[in-house]
Amino acid sequence: MTATIVTITSGKGGVGKTTTTANVAIALAELGEKVVCIDGDIGLRNLDIVMGLENRIVYDLVDVIEGRCRLRQAMIRDKRMSELYLIPAAQTRDKSSVSPSDMVRLCDQLRDEFDWVLIDSSAGIERGFRNALAPADIVLVVTNPEVSAVRDADRIIGLVEAEEKGPAKLVINRLNPELVKRGDMLTAEDVVELLAVELVGIVPEDQSVVVSTNRGQPVVMEAKTKAGQAFRNVALRLQGQEVPFLDLDERKDIFQKLSNMLRSGGD
Amino acid sequence: MQSDEMVEEKKVTIKIKGIRDGLLISLGEGEWPVVQEELLQQIMERSAFFQGARVALDVGNHILHAADMGILRDKLSDSGVSLWALLSNSPTTERTSQMLGLATRISTPKPERVIRARSTSLSGDNAMLVKRTLRSGFKVSSAGHVVVIGDVNPGAEVSAGGNVVVWGRLRGSVHAGVDGDKTAVICALEMSPKQLRIDEVIGALPLKPEEHVLPEIALIQGGQIVFQEWKQKERGR
């Protein structure tokens, strides 16, 4: 078993990195994959909250790296799925407690045991991002259809290319089909046209995401939600499957056009 | 009298001109140490322009001995300037140059008329080629011209001493003619930059319809940056 290491990052904060990490991890586990998530946001951890595992933390990432516990001891097994684990971040430390080479070493230890290692990066382009990027095989850049988020995503994609970890893959989160229809929001096409990378997910804005995040029950576990379906599709695309993009509203033609464009795009 | 001399000393004339093989610098009359000091001073003040330059020096009537010339060459090379030729009216100086391995003749550019009559090949200028899309946060700067094959995204910056050509979408910031070249131009297949500057003039892009995707050229006209569709220029240049 050789794990694929996926780093989820964005540049801008609050676009949904942690939500994406939790949901894609669960979706992959539901597909029968062995998955471990690493919260790379040391000092500002919250992947544990979104996954509903906060109260089970004993050891964390920094404990492993500084040798206070074995790797196994810091891995929290998800209560709902037996093949899903979380390595939480330390809350009382900061990003400088971990170096990029620590992350590479840690991920190399995990490679043999898992199918997927998902790393939730911190916002920004500093140490936390560098740590999360160092071991990555695939980089998922999460953005919102907003000019400022897209600008930061562009910067991140450039940095990923410069580190020769590219080309990154793109998830557009929190697309509001109503606003798009009214012409008040960037369309997925606009975003892809500027960023020029492969799109692996369009997640619609969905109130149930907020509710489920607060409850520690990621939305992907609720079968009926569109956001949940969109995250499941991201997992399928990571597995290499061809999945058409969701029809988010009646203006079906746009998304068909988009998926056609991506299929024929070739870059 | 004393003060007159001081003024005289400051008026060392140094002429700089671009030739096919780099720069030709002609030095005026005056005490050699003063002339040399003035030359080095000018190079230091415009170090970005001179960095990496190949220079032919016309010393006119100055008589230079091997020691002077060696010192000059070392000082120039300290400032990033390489001296390859030294022209002089004095046979002594010429001999010294030859001893130091410097050329004493440069092929002076012939009048354009003659070139056209003899050959259809034009010399052109060197430019820096960037064959990739410049994403936000990336910067390209060059003392010469810059050609980008790819897009210049918002948040990316290009700065050039000469002209800038973007074979793609220009949405970031571009500054052409940074060293004061008002004749510099900026061309792009799709001209929608955040900011354009030529020399010190800052350009505001006029509002235009969304589907406006004709190649355009930006240049200074009447002290302002104007945008022209490339179509109009087809025969002009």
Side-chain angles (χ1 to χ4, degrees):
Chain A
M1 208 180 277
T2 305
T4 306
I5 294 165
V6 184
T7 292
I8 293 100
T9 186
S10 69
K12 188 174 180 298
V15 296
K17 284 180 295 297
T18 303
T19 309
T20 303
T21 308
N23 281 290
V24 171
I26 291 175
L28 283 169
E30 276 179 342
L31 292 167
E33 304 269 3
K34 238 184 138 187
V35 184
V36 57
C37 301
I38 302 175
D39 190 346
D41 203 354
I42 297 161
L44 293 167
R45 77 170 175 217
N46 42 37
L47 184 57
D48 51 315
I49 304 173
V50 175
M51 292 177 76
L53 301 173
E54 189 185 7
N55 54 1
R56 312 228 322 256
I57 296 177
V58 181
Y59 294 109
D60 57 46
L61 180 61
V62 176
D63 290 325
V64 177
I65 281 162
E66 295 181 351
R68 274 187 298 279
C69 70
R70 282 175 290 111
L71 179 55
R72 271 278 152 201
Q73 290 175 293
M75 287 168 42
I76 305 169
R77 183 194 288 255
D78 189 89
K79 52 198 169 194
R80 298 149 297 211
M81 252 155 294
S82 59
E83 298 296 1
L84 175 63
Y85 292 83
L86 167 70
I87 300 177
Q91 182 68 343
T92 54
R93 303 292 291 273
D94 62 45
K95 313 287 188 264
S96 60
S97 329
V98 178
S99 72
S101 56
D102 289 334
M103 291 297 285
V104 171
R105 256 198 313 278
L106 181 80
C107 289
D108 283 342
Q109 286 178 45
L110 294 167
R111 262 184 214 276
D112 295 337
E113 279 186 69
F114 289 90
D115 299 306
W116 298 90
V117 180
L118 304 194
I119 305 173
D120 184 16
S121 161
S122 57
I125 53 175
E126 292 83 21
R127 186 65 173 268
F129 165 68
R130 299 278 166 197
N131 285 343
L133 183 62
D137 299 319
I138 296 177
V139 179
L140 270 195
V141 174
V142 183
T143 190
N144 295 154
E146 292 165 20
V147 175
S148 58
V150 172
R151 178 77 57 90
D152 289 358
D154 189 45
R155 175 96 167 101
I156 290 291
I157 292 167
L159 292 172
V160 170
E161 281 169 5
E163 292 284 335
E164 294 178 348
K165 296 281 187 181
K169 295 176 193 287
L170 183 70
V171 175
I172 301 174
N173 191 22
R174 236 182 263 154
L175 188 92
N176 186 323
E178 278 299 304
L179 288 180
V180 169
K181 210 185 321 179
R182 292 213 307 262
D184 292 334
M185 183 177 259
L186 293 176
T187 66
E189 270 179 311
D190 292 336
V191 177
V192 170
E193 193 218 11
L194 181 83
L195 297 179
V197 288
E198 185 194 351
L199 182 65
V200 295
I202 304 175
V203 183
E205 182 147 56
D206 190 339
Q207 292 183 352
S208 50
V209 173
V210 180
V211 179
S212 63
T213 298
N214 288 339
R215 236 191 269 139
Q217 283 276 357
V219 70
V220 76
M221 307 183 85
E222 291 165 41
K224 289 194 295 287
T225 60
K226 279 217 160 164
Q229 184 58 50
F231 282 124
R232 273 194 290 280
N233 287 349
V234 174
L236 290 169
R237 292 191 192 104
L238 283 179
Q239 282 188 325
Q241 302 192 36
E242 290 249 343
V243 190
F245 284 89
L246 285 182
D247 177 16
L248 296 180
D249 68 354
E250 50 270 43
R251 290 214 313 178
K252 198 172 181 177
D253 53 334
I254 278 214
F255 290 93
Q256 274 179 352
K257 221 164 72 186
L258 180 62
S259 57
N260 290 342
M261 187 181 91
L262 288 170
R263 231 169 286 145
S264 60
D267 60 2
Chain B
M1 191 64 203
Q2 183 68 16
S3 72
D4 275 353
E5 257 181 39
M6 294 284 282
V7 172
E8 280 291 291
E9 278 180 11
K10 297 236 175 209
K11 278 189 178 164
V12 174
T13 48
I14 293 181
K15 284 186 203 140
I16 300 165
K17 168 171 145 189
I19 57 171
R20 204 181 315 174
D21 298 308
L23 297 172
L24 173 62
I25 303 180
S26 312
L27 303 178
E29 297 295 318
E31 289 290 310
W32 175 248
V34 179
V35 175
Q36 176 177 280
E37 198 47 52
E38 179 66 22
L39 171 66
L40 293 170
Q41 183 71 26
Q42 286 211 13
I43 288 176
M44 216 165 65
E45 278 165 14
R46 300 166 66 190
S47 59
F49 172 75
F50 281 104
Q51 198 54 239
R54 291 186 76 235
V55 161
L57 199 61
D58 183 354
V59 298
N61 296 327
H62 291 288
I63 296 174
L64 297 186
H65 299 288
D68 298 331
M69 214 178 280
I71 290 169
L72 177 66
R73 187 164 61 171
D74 291 348
K75 289 199 169 165
L76 287 175
S77 98
D78 286 346
S79 327
V81 173
S82 83
L83 183 67
W84 68 276
L86 199 133
L87 317 181
S88 171
N89 298 335
S90 136
T92 321
T93 310
E94 275 198 339
R95 262 199 307 280
T96 321
S97 318
Q98 281 160 359
M99 251 158 56
L100 286 177
L102 297 169
T104 52
R105 295 266 183 283
I106 52 169
S107 52
T108 37
K110 306 189 171 63
E112 229 164 78
R113 221 165 4 98
V114 180
I115 292 178
R116 285 204 184 149
R118 284 214 293 205
S119 154
T120 50
S121 66
L122 299 170
S123 56
D125 295 340
N126 289 326
M128 177 198 249
L129 175 68
V130 182
K131 200 174 170 186
R132 60 179 298 175
T133 287
L134 294 179
R135 293 185 183 275
S136 174
F138 284 78
K139 183 172 179 177
V140 169
S141 42
S142 161
H145 312 295
V146 174
V147 178
V148 179
I149 301 181
D151 297 343
V152 177
N153 282 357
E157 289 174 32
V158 176
S159 113
N163 305 286
V164 176
V165 178
V166 179
W167 185 262
R169 294 178 296 209
L170 200 180
R171 296 171 167 186
S173 316
V174 172
H175 189 173
V178 286
D179 298 316
D181 183 0
K182 288 188 193 304
T183 62
V185 300
I186 301 170
C187 320
L189 290 187
E190 184 188 322
M191 185 70 89
S192 28
K194 291 287 147 192
Q195 199 194 72
L196 276 190
R197 279 200 274 169
I198 299 175
D199 185 22
E200 297 297 311
V201 185
I202 299 180
L205 191 73
L207 285 174
K208 45 189 180 184
E210 283 277 307
E211 270 105 51
H212 193 107
V213 285
L214 284 168
E216 282 180 83
I217 177 166
L219 59 150
I220 297 185
Q221 258 182 17
Q224 281 192 321
I225 293 185
V226 296
F227 296 87
Q228 295 175 347
E229 284 175 10
W230 184 250
K231 233 169 35 173
Q232 303 173 349
K233 309 238 58 162
E234 269 168 7
R235 296 186 177 275
R237 281 165 186 254

